[in-house]
Amino acid sequence: MIPSESGEMQKIAELRWFVYRKLEYIWIGDKESEETADESDEESDCWKTSSEIASRIPCRTLLGISEANFGLSSSEISRRLEFYGRNAIVVQLRPILYLLFMEVITPFYVFQIFSVTVWYNDEYAFYASLIVILSLGSIVMDVWQIRKQEIRLRGMVHSSESVEVIRDGIEMTVGSDQLVPGDILLIPPHGCLMQCDSVLMNGTVIVNESVLTGESVPITKVALTDETHDAIFNIEKNSKNVLFCGTQILQTRFYRGKKVKSLLR
């Protein structure tokens, strides 16, 4: 099951994909022969990342999901979790043996190994042994610093909070790593740290986007309106309606007692 251009999950017979620089590319297209494919098919048949597949979702579809106020079903969530994976940046810790090997094969230590071998053959055993001890101590210190930096980086990147969503028509609290595209997220009035990109569907929100733009002045985000009902949603053109991951929500304003909602993209 993969998403279509309109965002709906669809079943395909075969999945072709590869990973390049931490991005998964998926082949979109079902033509068996290039000879029978016309120009439009050739343009649509290409490799796309998972975030680029559902790129032609009409604004009316997003508005309809928000108005229905039902959210995703349990089966739909399972299918999307299987395709998109968890909403988290996973920093893998490299094995100690791998770090040691990569450190030893650097030009400096390769030269040291060659030099020590020559000195032992010339009976400079004491001097060569001293160089070996110092080199081993230096390698251990370098590996320790690299591992410490990796652990610190993983701690900075890993962020999981409890968020309120609407699923199966019920408001519930889930971990932010369980969010999937299509979820309806409820923004608390006191603000929060956004754990994903989402489209504001009602109310207004005051956001601090200094982590993205460097501007210290908070900006106001407005809800997606009926004026763009027939248009295709574009995250760049509709940036005033998008709450970006990592930004800080300072305050929300809602009307008629409705909670401020956003839809995950």
Side-chain angles (χ1 to χ4, degrees):
M1 301 289 290
I2 68 170
S4 63
E5 287 189 343
S6 61
E8 298 293 331
M9 299 299 288
Q10 61 181 358
K11 191 174 183 179
I12 59 172
E14 182 184 17
L15 179 64
R16 298 165 59 189
W17 63 280
F18 68 91
V19 178
Y20 177 66
R21 293 185 177 178
K22 305 297 183 181
L23 291 176
E24 292 184 1
Y25 289 83
I26 299 165
W27 177 254
I28 303 299
D30 55 359
K31 292 295 179 184
E32 297 180 358
S33 173
E34 293 183 0
E35 298 177 359
T36 59
D38 56 24
E39 262 184 46
S40 62
D41 292 326
E42 290 177 0
E43 291 177 359
S44 61
D45 294 359
C46 61
W47 293 98
K48 291 184 179 182
T49 61
S50 56
S51 61
E52 293 173 343
I53 296 176
S55 58
R56 298 190 61 80
I57 302 179
C59 292
R60 64 173 178 271
T61 300
L62 302 180
L63 293 168
I65 295 173
S66 175
E67 291 172 2
N69 206 38
F70 185 80
L72 299 174
S73 63
S74 300
S75 58
E76 187 73 11
I77 292 168
S78 300
R79 287 194 289 267
R80 298 195 179 210
L81 272 175
E82 183 180 2
F83 177 78
Y84 289 105
R86 294 169 55 246
N87 178 41
I89 301 175
V90 180
V91 178
Q92 299 285 355
L93 294 180
R94 293 175 291 180
I96 295 294
L97 291 178
Y98 175 81
L99 296 177
L100 284 171
F101 176 75
M102 295 302 295
E103 193 68 25
V104 169
I105 64 174
T106 56
F108 175 75
Y109 289 111
V110 171
F111 174 75
Q112 290 287 64
I113 293 172
F114 174 77
S115 300
V116 166
T117 304
V118 172
W119 291 330
Y120 271 120
N121 290 332
D122 289 343
E123 299 182 354
Y124 286 96
F126 178 78
Y127 180 71
S129 300
L130 182 62
I131 295 299
V132 169
I133 293 172
L134 291 175
S135 297
L136 288 176
S138 176
I139 290 173
V140 170
M141 286 297 297
D142 289 343
V143 170
W144 178 75
Q145 289 180 356
I146 293 173
R147 173 48 62 91
K148 186 178 178 181
Q149 291 172 359
E150 287 184 345
I151 294 174
R152 184 181 299 174
L153 176 62
R154 185 174 67 171
M156 292 172 60
V157 170
H158 179 71
S159 176
S160 180
E161 295 183 359
S162 296
V163 296
E164 283 189 275
V165 295
I166 299 177
R167 291 178 174 176
D168 289 318
I170 303 172
E171 294 183 11
M172 61 179 68
T173 302
V174 299
S176 59
D177 59 337
Q178 297 298 314
L179 294 173
V180 295
D183 262 330
I184 298 177
L185 180 65
L186 301 177
I187 310 296
H190 57 271
C192 63
L193 180 67
M194 290 300 298
Q195 301 294 323
C196 56
D197 292 346
S198 62
V199 185
L200 187 61
M201 304 309 299
N202 70 317
T204 57
V205 173
I206 300 176
V207 189
N208 181 0
E209 290 190 342
S210 58
V211 294
L212 298 180
T213 62
E215 296 290 340
S216 59
V217 179
I219 62 174
T220 301
K221 297 284 185 172
V222 297
L224 194 67
T225 62
D226 293 334
E227 296 176 0
T228 55
H229 200 71
D230 296 324
I232 300 298
F233 180 83
N234 184 287
I235 198 168
E236 295 179 358
K237 294 180 179 178
N238 298 98
S239 59
K240 63 181 180 180
N241 312 122
V242 179
L243 305 175
F244 293 101
C245 180
T247 57
Q248 183 71 43
I249 306 298
L250 302 178
Q251 185 182 357
T252 64
R253 298 175 183 172
F254 53 91
Y255 307 98
R256 301 177 184 175
K258 294 182 178 179
K259 292 184 178 180
V260 176
K261 297 182 297 184
S262 65
L263 188 65
L264 268 68
R265 282 285 295 113

